[in-house]
Amino acid sequence: MTLRFLRAVVTGLLLAACVVIAPAAVSAAAPARIMALGDSITGSPGCWRALLWKHLQDTGHTGVDFVGSLPAPGCGFAHDGDNEGHGGILATNIVRDNLLPGWLSSARPDVVLMHLGTNDVWSNVPTATILNAYTTMLGQMRASNPAVKLVVAQLVPMNPANCSACGQRVIDLNSAIPGWARANSTAASPVTVVDQWTGFDTAADTTDGVHPNGSTGIQKIESRWYPAVVAALGAQPPAAVGLHVEGTKVVEANGSAFVMRGVNHAHVWYQNQTRAFADIKSFGANTVRVVLGSGQRWGPTPAAEVSSVIALCKQSKLICVLEVHDTTGYGEQSGAASLDQAATYWISVAEALKGQENYVIINLGNEPFGNNAEVSATWASATSGAISRLRGAGLRHLLMADAPMWGQDWANIMRDNAASVLNADPQRNTVFSIHMYGVYNTAAKVNAYFDAFRTAGLPLVVGEFGHNHSDGDPDEDTIMAQAQARGLGYLGWSWSGNSGDVAYLDMVNSFNPASLTPWGERFLNGANGVRQTSREATIFGGGPGDTRPPSAPGTPAASGVTSTGLTLSWTASTDDVGVTGYEVLRAVGSGSFAQVGSTATTTFADTGLSPSTTYRYQVRARDAAGNVSAVSGTGTATTSAGGGTGACKVGYSAQNWGGGNGFTASVTITNTGTGAVNGWTLAFSYPSGQRVTLPGWGAAFTQSGADVTATNLAWNGTLAPNASANIGFNGTHGGSNPAPTSFSLNGSACTTA
């Protein structure tokens, strides 16, 4: 082995220091996530959804998960009824109020079933305007999941007593929907149309000329959705085999969480250093990332040698991450291999890999692109293509995809396209690997990248990092501490044998485990290091994994208390593996506790509270294996009186439904003051016994007798001067439906529009 070759290894680590800029999905064998999006026809009670869920279950399509922020109403039998069917909502108002991104962020749908526009038609919104709203929402869906499948309905007919023109307006909209779908459908994110209009009779199939009845109406709607949903689901991913991803976690075949704690070893240049596997294990590592060659620059490592490497890993009870190093810096580094060439190599040694899914992770190619922006821009398609070829060759292993830009993803190409790559994997079994060197020289940059993947619900590991580098000084303390806190795997570079200019990255001198370097001491024996945090894979007989819950957090204390919000802080929990987050529980007065949020830190800002109200708080911790601590002691805080700017305006309107005692109320809250309102609660009273039908939209509603309160949601709690929030709900009346006579915001009286 020559230093020239070894320098080529290290070249894959080099990068000029740059700034990192921060930004459903599904996992291997994870259920396909289906969001039903619409108005009261979808959500209130929307029992066609219950029939659809049962039909899918009865015909073997059990791998589905209906998702949404609204719970299932009663439909006579248990079903998965989560949905986004908001009574009285307009498609144009969803866009106007930017509601959809918030719903998508938690639901992360793979398929959206959209029957939406009935209330727009009722409000005489032009067809072109409704279709423009569809286009905006489709763009938001694709931003959440580039491979989302939209199934859009031509609406059921309308014949309400108070809208003689609605029937023709529906026909006009329905006639335009197929052309809109064709113009906006793509191969990656298809748009298909379901005809819900033909054969649906407003006299026989509705209760009021609009809403489907509980017999023929919901049955007809379900019968049209079912074949379209089955087509959208397509072939379901095969059941996971061996190591695989579930959401953001890597787990073993038995479901035990597996958090990689390991070392990179340059086997292809030091094939005689087979003792390194046992030596790495002696420090408690559970994983080794092994450098192989595909033949373009090094090797090729033949199938027999691959089998020998796997045997060495298993002998030392190490999970084996096998990587092809020839791809390092493709597009910038002369002679580097493409990911397609790497895929050809993996297929050539497939027989040595098959059957080893419990022990082996296939790392497609090391740092597969350099800093050439034009070439790196092809990362998503090249990675997806390599994955497709491996799956086509019958390799069902957990795959690892390295980032472009010498592995550091400083242009956020992997961050922004990881979801599409995961969705392109037929098995949804790919974990993404970031290499953290000089780009990640501050805690803010490290956390921003980690946060982006957590927010997106995507699996991530740190495939390489060091304590120092020629392109800058990595923040190894934050990398290790945050990986531990979040349950992320990490693999340090490297065991031994780096060339002289980067010899400081050796963990041991001359492959001697008794001669640790400063980096080796820090990485292997230091805080949040391998010896302290590594847990052996259960496949090697290490028991059921982590079953010990964290200690209870300290009692939360409140600070910065205002009329509508406060900040909690508490003493951290401890855990034998690592705390990944905290759940915050809240009770109003002497009421029962319910979870109101979660955080990865020991602080939490609670907003949207009511003035002059006492709240009690508890906190519990969760670790990487999902173990939950006992709750903390109870902290108490009372909000101050008043809280608003004293300047607000409220617009209220209610539209009675034809042929019944229902109505839809729309409320606009405007801040007419000179300062921002941060967190708001609107209060009013009904004069004639009207009742709000929960949950409503745009706010959290409660009603006690005649008194109604509406508290902001997380996404609309701040009202700048002259800004407005639009909320609403369905309700019932007893024949008379006068408007409330007064409104107050955070205890201050508002004018009425």
Side-chain angles (χ1 to χ4, degrees), residues 305-360:
E305 189 175 341
V306 171
S307 295
S308 296
V309 167
I310 296 171
L312 287 166
C313 290
K314 293 165 73 173
Q315 182 178 338
S316 294
K317 298 184 178 181
L318 292 165
I319 295 299
C320 219
V321 178
L322 303 178
E323 62 105 333
V324 163
H325 214 78
D326 304 60
T327 55
T328 305
Y330 178 75
E332 182 177 352
Q333 180 69 45
S334 176
S338 67
L339 279 173
D340 189 62
Q341 289 171 310
T344 297
Y345 168 74
W346 290 122
I347 293 169
S348 75
V349 297
E351 293 311 309
L353 300 168
K354 291 180 179 178
Q356 303 297 328
E357 293 85 356
N358 286 317
Y359 307 96
V360 171

Side-chain angles (χ1 to χ4, degrees), residues 64-83:
V64 296
D65 178 14
F66 280 56
V67 293
S69 62
L70 301 180
C75 290
F77 59 89
H79 66 284
D80 183 358
D82 297 336
N83 70 97

Side-chain angles (χ1 to χ4, degrees), residues 255-268:
S256 297
F258 180 69
V259 181
M260 294 178 220
R261 290 288 181 266
V263 176
N264 284 268
H265 170 51
H267 169 80
V268 75

Side-chain angles (χ1 to χ4, degrees), residues 25-354:
V26 292
S27 63
R33 301 168 69 85
I34 301 175
M35 173 194 280
L37 173 63
D39 47 39
S40 56
I41 293 173
T42 296
S44 303
C47 286
W48 62 260
R49 292 182 288 100
L51 297 180
L52 176 60
W53 177 85
K54 186 175 187 302
H55 196 172
L56 291 168
Q57 301 299 303
D58 291 346
T59 53
H61 298 280
T62 56
V64 296
D65 178 14
F66 280 56
V67 293
S69 62
L70 301 180
C75 290
F77 59 89
H79 66 284
D80 183 358
D82 297 336
N83 70 97
E84 294 293 354
H86 297 263
I89 202 76
L90 280 68
T92 48
N93 286 359
I94 292 175
V95 171
R96 180 195 67 191
D97 300 335
N98 201 33
L99 300 176
L100 187 57
W103 299 338
L104 292 168
S105 66
S106 56
R108 296 181 291 107
D110 304 300
V111 179
V112 176
L113 312 182
M114 188 171 79
H115 185 288
L116 186 60
T118 300
N119 291 301
D120 299 82
V121 167
W122 211 330
S123 300
N124 199 21
V125 176
T127 290
T129 305
I130 299 172
L131 294 181
N132 286 339
Y134 283 8
T135 302
T136 299
M137 288 188 288
L138 178 59
Q140 292 169 336
M141 295 174 198
R142 287 171 172 166
S144 171
N145 177 1
V148 70
K149 298 178 181 179
L150 175 62
V151 185
V152 58
Q154 292 174 290
L155 306 184
V156 298
M158 286 179 65
N159 187 26
N162 61 352
C163 183
S164 59
C166 281
Q168 184 59 47
R169 293 176 194 163
V170 170
I171 293 172
D172 294 342
L173 174 60
N174 283 346
S175 66
I177 287 175
W180 174 86
R182 286 191 298 271
N184 287 278
S185 185
T186 67
S189 175
V191 180
T192 56
V193 178
V194 167
D195 180 6
Q196 293 284 5
W197 191 88
T198 302
F200 194 96
D201 187 328
T202 56
D205 301 325
T206 73
T207 58
D208 55 4
V210 179
H211 298 87
N213 60 34
S215 54
T216 58
I218 61 174
Q219 290 173 1
K220 286 184 178 181
I221 291 176
E222 187 280 331
S223 69
R224 296 299 176 90
W225 282 125
Y226 173 79
V229 171
V230 171
L233 292 175
Q236 295 298 298
V241 175
L243 291 156
H244 60 281
V245 294
E246 288 185 359
T248 60
K249 298 190 301 182
V250 173
V251 301
E252 296 185 68
N254 62 7
S256 297
F258 180 69
V259 181
M260 294 178 220
R261 290 288 181 266
V263 176
N264 284 268
H265 170 51
H267 169 80
V268 75
W269 299 286
Y270 297 102
Q271 297 171 33
N272 61 332
Q273 293 292 344
T274 55
R275 174 183 161 181
F277 293 85
D279 290 342
I280 290 169
K281 178 64 177 183
S282 71
F283 288 92
N286 62 21
T287 307
V288 60
R289 182 170 178 255
V290 185
V291 178
L292 305 179
S294 63
Q296 277 73 36
R297 296 168 74 183
W298 303 287
T301 307
E305 189 175 341
V306 171
S307 295
S308 296
V309 167
I310 296 171
L312 287 166
C313 290
K314 293 165 73 173
Q315 182 178 338
S316 294
K317 298 184 178 181
L318 292 165
I319 295 299
C320 219
V321 178
L322 303 178
E323 62 105 333
V324 163
H325 214 78
D326 304 60
T327 55
T328 305
Y330 178 75
E332 182 177 352
Q333 180 69 45
S334 176
S338 67
L339 279 173
D340 189 62
Q341 289 171 310
T344 297
Y345 168 74
W346 290 122
I347 293 169
S348 75
V349 297
E351 293 311 309
L353 300 168
K354 291 180 179 178

